[in-house]
Amino acid sequence: MLVRTPTPYPTESLFSFIIRVSEINGYETPQTILNYAGYKDGEIRSTKLSIKKLAIILNCTESDLNKISYNKYDHNNQLKIKLLNHDLGFTARDFLRSKKQIFCPECVIENGFVEAFWDLNLAIYCPEHKSIPIETCPNCNQKIKFLRPGLLKCSCGHKLLPLKNNKYTVHISVLELMSILKYKLENKFLIELSNTSKSIFSLVNKVPLVPSQVAITLILNRFLLLHPPMSQE
């Protein structure tokens, strides 16, 4: 059992939680605790990662980790993919970016964790800070790895802080789409958002996350084609 066993935040990414557990226990890589838990190499970066082994070394129940896990069994005992309890079906390929680490450093600094929002393929801008997420280390120019020392620390040792040139002028509708997607994922009321693009809100207000993503994808592609993001510098 680990010495320090934090509790996952309700909207935290499972991969973020594993990195955070590793970091708070002083390990240089999550690989250490994953090996300790008995995970095999093929399990580590899979959305089919079982939380049972992780629960054992954290001295908690599977139900404590279930909300942020990526899978569940349906009534036919078939494994399905989910994100924060939103059913994504039997494959994650169309919805989740399980092979990449992308996030907003400003959000991590403010919240202390990487949100599950960044597990979504459609999450391409931060609606809170109106910035593009970081996915490459500015020091070593390598893609940010899951097996790194900390949430804001690259494997090369460089601190992953907000970039000076990550502010872009993005069409308001694109930012609103990102906000809608995030609110839908976190089960928040859309009425709390600004409603410049009323047609977009009415389109996705009462439908589940998956069809919402399909609608948002179509709209987003159209807006990005007509209004590509422009650097503020």
Side-chain angles (χ1 to χ4, degrees):
M1 189 174 68
L2 298 175
V3 176
R4 305 187 70 181
T5 54
T7 301
Y9 291 98
T11 60
E12 185 171 16
S13 163
L14 176 60
F15 293 133
S16 162
F17 178 64
I18 293 173
I19 297 172
R20 194 161 59 84
V21 169
S22 172
E23 185 175 17
I24 202 173
N25 279 280
Y27 297 117
E28 283 298 310
T29 169
Q31 185 74 63
T32 304
I33 64 169
L34 291 169
N35 288 343
Y36 180 42
Y39 288 105
K40 297 178 181 179
D41 289 343
E43 295 178 275
I44 292 175
R45 286 296 290 145
S46 170
T47 52
K48 296 182 180 180
L49 179 73
S50 170
I51 58 173
K52 184 176 181 178
K53 298 175 183 178
L54 189 61
I56 292 174
I57 65 171
L58 289 172
N59 194 32
C60 66
T61 65
E62 290 183 54
S63 61
D64 293 330
L65 303 178
N66 184 59
K67 184 173 182 180
I68 66 168
S69 72
Y70 296 119
N71 52 73
K72 67 176 182 179
Y73 287 92
D74 64 13
H75 61 280
N76 292 321
N77 203 35
Q78 291 183 302
L79 187 67
K80 301 185 75 173
I81 306 301
K82 72 178 186 67
L83 186 63
L84 300 188
N85 290 331
H86 291 277
D87 190 343
L88 299 182
F90 295 101
T91 176
R93 183 178 61 252
D94 296 330
F95 302 108
L96 300 182
R97 54 164 66 100
S98 60
K99 304 301 181 183
K100 291 183 179 180
Q101 286 285 291
I102 295 176
F103 58 88
C104 171
E106 291 178 87
C107 285
V108 177
I109 292 172
E110 293 173 4
N111 302 327
F113 64 96
V114 177
E115 295 169 299
F117 170 72
W118 296 109
D119 287 331
L120 292 169
N121 280 328
L122 276 181
I124 58 173
Y125 295 106
C126 175
E128 302 293 332
H129 300 101
K130 298 178 176 61
S131 60
I132 58 173
I134 186 172
E135 59 179 306
T136 302
C137 175
N139 180 60
C140 66
N141 295 317
Q142 298 296 311
K143 295 290 186 181
I144 296 171
K145 300 176 181 177
F146 163 57
L147 298 176
R148 61 184 188 274
L151 292 175
L152 292 172
K153 190 174 183 180
C154 179
S155 300
C156 72
H158 186 74
K159 289 186 177 180
L160 301 172
L161 300 177
L163 302 175
K164 294 181 180 180
N165 62 342
N166 73 334
K167 300 296 183 181
Y168 282 71
T169 300
V170 181
H171 194 280
I172 184 63
S173 295
V174 175
L175 290 174
E176 286 186 353
L177 284 169
M178 292 296 100
S179 296
I180 291 171
L181 186 62
K182 191 170 187 294
Y183 268 55
K184 292 287 288 187
L185 175 65
E186 298 174 359
N187 291 318
K188 295 180 179 178
F189 294 110
L190 296 187
I191 196 173
E192 299 174 9
L193 293 172
S194 59
N195 191 2
T196 302
S197 305
K198 293 181 175 60
S199 60
I200 299 175
F201 276 67
S202 61
L203 182 63
V204 300
N205 189 39
K206 295 182 179 180
V207 296
L209 182 66
V210 169
S212 291
Q213 285 196 94
V214 174
I216 289 173
T217 299
L218 296 173
I219 300 170
L220 181 61
N221 288 339
R222 177 65 174 170
F223 274 115
L224 289 178
L225 179 65
L226 296 175
H227 309 283
M230 303 291 291
S231 173
Q232 293 182 357
E233 297 189 345

